Amino acid sequence: MKFFIDTANLAQIKEAQELGILDGVTTNPSLMAKEGITGTNNILKHYVAICNIVDGDVSAEVIATDFEGMVREGEILADLHPQIVVKIPMIKDGIKAIKYFSDHGIRTNCTLVFSVGQALLAAKAGASYVSPFIGRLDDISTDGLNLIDEIRTVYDNYGYETEILAASVRHTMHIVECAKLGADVITAPLSAILGLLKHPLTDSGLAQFLADYKKGN
Ligand code: G3P
């Protein structure tokens, strides 16, 4: 399973990259705004800065919601760096834009996916990645992980190559459950990724080993 970090924070991206387990980065307009990155030029520069830190795909989201606007913005984003994947919302013109980019060799990530039907359309249009938002489904008392399971079944039924990128991952167990269900990728905050390290028996076991070493030396 690939690990992406879901942030526009350069320090956190560096920390995950230095850990040696990072396969890519996802961003969105909210994450950019959270880091205080505003204005088209600054946003474009920030994408390049991210690409220069990480070895892997970097999702950069279009703001336009019409086909022509998405194509125009997506081509600018794709030209920035070979690692850029154009992130397109799951709307009617978005599907048309994904098909256009797929036909022109530009990789896409279809975002804001909340149903199997949406995921099926994204795959048919040739999306490289589909992003089901599991945490936001949990927020409305729906089982987000079940959506990962259902998309996995449908994609495997027909051999779709679109990668399932589990997004809106909120905590460590989401990551573990996505791995069990066969998500191709998870994108998570650094805290959820680092949570995988933690176990009290590791801490107490290590403390005991070090104490025993000291006794003998
Ligand atoms: O990758 C999508 C993600 O950023 C949304 O996460 O926590 O805002 O639902 P969240």
Side-chain angles (χ1 to χ4, degrees), residues 12-175:
Q12 290 186 12
I13 294 168
K14 272 189 201 127
E15 187 176 340
Q17 174 67 25
E18 283 165 8
L19 196 56
I21 50 81
L22 193 62
D23 300 300
V25 178
T26 51
T27 62
N28 62 39
S30 305
L31 292 171
M32 281 287 183
K34 192 173 163 193
E35 299 306 318
I37 314 295
T38 55
T40 307
N41 283 346
N42 289 335
I43 289 172
L44 296 182
K45 275 191 215 153
H46 202 74
Y47 285 137
V48 175
I50 293 173
C51 290
N52 288 335
I53 295 171
V54 67
D55 298 322
D57 291 346
V58 175
S59 286
E61 188 157 345
V62 298
I63 303 301
T65 54
D66 63 297
F67 172 74
E68 289 78 12
M70 283 191 255
V71 166
R72 200 166 44 242
E73 275 182 38
E75 285 178 338
I76 291 169
L77 292 169
D79 277 349
L80 282 178
H81 199 283
Q83 287 166 236
I84 292 283
V85 174
V86 180
K87 207 170 178 188
I88 306 274
M90 165 43 74
I91 54 176
K92 193 173 175 187
D93 277 28
I95 289 297
K96 286 162 70 176
I98 288 168
K99 175 69 175 135
Y100 172 90
F101 286 128
S102 167
D103 289 345
H104 289 78
I106 291 176
R107 293 175 306 140
T108 53
N109 174 359
C110 183
T111 190
L112 290 166
V113 166
F114 294 94
S115 75
V116 182
Q118 291 178 327
L120 187 52
L121 273 181
K124 291 277 298 171
S128 316
Y129 296 100
V130 66
S131 288
F133 276 30
I134 60 177
R136 292 192 193 185
L137 282 169
D138 291 351
D139 288 345
I140 58 160
S141 303
T142 306
D143 185 355
L145 288 166
N146 187 50
L147 178 59
I148 301 295
D149 195 23
E150 290 183 344
I151 297 173
R152 180 77 282 155
T153 301
V154 169
Y155 281 12
D156 289 350
N157 281 349
Y158 297 99
Y160 287 123
E161 289 178 5
T162 301
E163 292 187 63
I164 302 173
L165 194 174
S168 187
V169 165
R170 300 280 175 74
H171 50 73
T172 303
M173 280 309 292
H174 267 158
I175 300 177

